[in-house]
Amino acid sequence: MVKIDKIELFDGHQYQEDQKNYELKQLADGELIKSKERVQSHGEVFTPKWMVKQMLATPEIQEKIYNLHATFLEPSAGEGAFLTEILHQKLNYVDKVSKKKDWQINALWALMSIYAIEYLEDNLVKARQAMVDVLVNHYQNFFQKELKGETEFFRSARLVIKLNIVQGDTLKYVNWLGYPITFNEWKVMEDDEVLRLPFTYKSLFEDDEQLDIFSASGQMNLFGEESDSKKYKVVKVTKVYREELE
């Protein structure tokens, strides 16, 4: 089994395209099951794309899609069917409302709003990569140029994906090492500045409240108590990859 701390999904990754004109690609629909054994062992059945779109089409959810800071949490991400569709729709909105000077900032805010947990590590790798692919596709379509892996935007985006899409057991609140599942609140300080605040997934349930990513009554309270860990500096959104401490 590939250990989560050994996954080298992003390092040195660059994107090469033969075509000069970049276009938005249709999100592919995957298989419903990988094997009977996985269904029996893990209850793994993937949601088809048409159902994902239908579930996200409700007015309450669409209202959140058009809010770059409205958070979504997928507690069983699979290969990222919900994650990629939410990101795709949020970036469609970013494409419409952004100018070249603020597209990257808005895109990172959208990315920072999407969280997920996945138990199986092969699915985790695919979910993360799918998020990268959607982001890169929108960037290249908007700017009509290749996204380089060494840019601050890409380096920050890959860190956000790594921190927001994590391995763990949703029911036990821990990852494969037995440590608490930890997320980060990306707190808006200014239009282009953010404060990273780590918190534990378990803290969301300490008041015995049911977490519902599809709640119709306003924005869900995704963020729990801060974990007793590192304290990060307020930085530009595009510079979070530096992980600067106080």
Side-chain angles (χ1 to χ4, degrees):
M1 177 179 292
V2 179
K3 293 185 178 180
I4 191 66
D5 61 340
K6 296 297 183 181
I7 292 177
E8 301 292 341
L9 177 57
F10 304 112
D11 292 353
H13 193 86
Q14 295 189 14
Y15 290 83
Q16 302 292 333
E17 293 280 351
D18 294 331
Q19 60 186 23
K20 294 183 179 180
N21 296 321
Y22 298 94
E23 298 179 355
L24 284 180
K25 300 174 183 177
Q26 188 74 15
L27 297 182
D29 202 353
E31 298 178 345
L32 295 183
I33 65 172
K34 288 185 176 180
S35 69
K36 292 182 180 179
E37 291 75 16
R38 289 172 71 109
V39 174
Q40 293 171 350
S41 299
H42 306 291
E44 181 186 69
V45 178
F46 298 116
T47 308
K49 183 172 63 177
W50 67 266
M51 187 177 294
V52 171
K53 288 186 174 181
Q54 190 174 59
M55 293 176 70
L56 297 178
T58 63
E60 295 82 6
I61 300 302
Q62 285 298 301
E63 181 182 351
K64 305 306 178 188
I65 292 288
Y66 297 138
N67 179 348
L68 297 182
H69 303 292
T71 52
F72 290 81
L73 170 62
E74 171 54 75
S76 182
E79 294 182 351
F82 276 101
L83 306 180
T84 53
E85 185 60 34
I86 291 170
L87 180 59
H88 173 61
Q89 291 188 25
K90 280 205 168 195
L91 291 180
N92 276 340
Y93 176 68
V94 170
D95 292 343
K96 293 177 182 178
V97 301
S98 302
K99 298 180 180 179
K100 287 187 176 181
K101 64 179 182 180
D102 58 6
W103 187 95
Q104 294 182 32
I105 296 170
N106 290 337
L108 284 171
W109 284 131
L111 189 64
M112 288 172 172
S113 74
I114 302 171
Y115 298 80
I117 301 169
E118 171 52 34
Y119 182 71
L120 298 174
E121 292 169 280
D122 59 338
N123 287 343
L124 176 70
V125 173
K126 290 185 178 180
R128 285 176 169 177
Q129 184 62 59
M131 294 286 281
V132 172
D133 292 343
V134 171
L135 185 70
V136 171
N137 188 211
H138 274 268
Y139 175 98
Q140 295 184 160
N141 178 71
F142 187 86
F143 289 101
Q144 285 300 302
K145 67 178 182 179
E146 178 186 355
L147 175 56
K148 301 290 187 179
E150 64 270 17
T151 62
E152 289 190 323
F153 170 72
F154 185 78
R155 294 172 72 180
S156 292
R158 71 183 183 183
L159 175 66
V160 172
I161 291 173
K162 181 179 179 180
L163 295 175
N164 280 26
I165 316 302
V166 301
Q167 190 278 334
D169 187 324
T170 302
L171 299 179
K172 296 181 179 179
Y173 312 112
V174 296
N175 60 23
W176 72 278
L177 289 173
Y179 295 127
I181 296 171
T182 301
F183 285 119
N184 294 269
E185 177 185 1
W186 303 100
K187 187 174 182 179
V188 182
M189 305 305 289
E190 298 290 345
D191 289 342
D192 63 345
E193 290 187 340
V194 64
L195 175 61
R196 174 181 167 184
L197 298 170
F199 67 95
T200 63
Y201 173 65
K202 187 176 182 180
S203 68
L204 302 177
F205 300 88
E206 290 179 348
D207 294 328
D208 296 324
E209 294 180 355
Q210 180 63 39
L211 190 64
D212 182 6
I213 66 170
F214 298 125
S215 173
S217 57
Q219 170 63 20
M220 72 175 191
N221 182 21
L222 174 60
F223 306 115
E225 295 182 1
E226 295 179 22
S227 63
D228 183 17
S229 59
K230 299 176 181 178
K231 303 297 182 182
Y232 293 90
K233 290 183 179 180
V234 175
V235 296
K236 299 291 185 182
V237 179
T238 54
K239 298 183 185 296
V240 295
Y241 73 93
R242 296 181 178 179
E243 301 190 85
E244 296 182 64
L245 299 175
E246 290 184 350

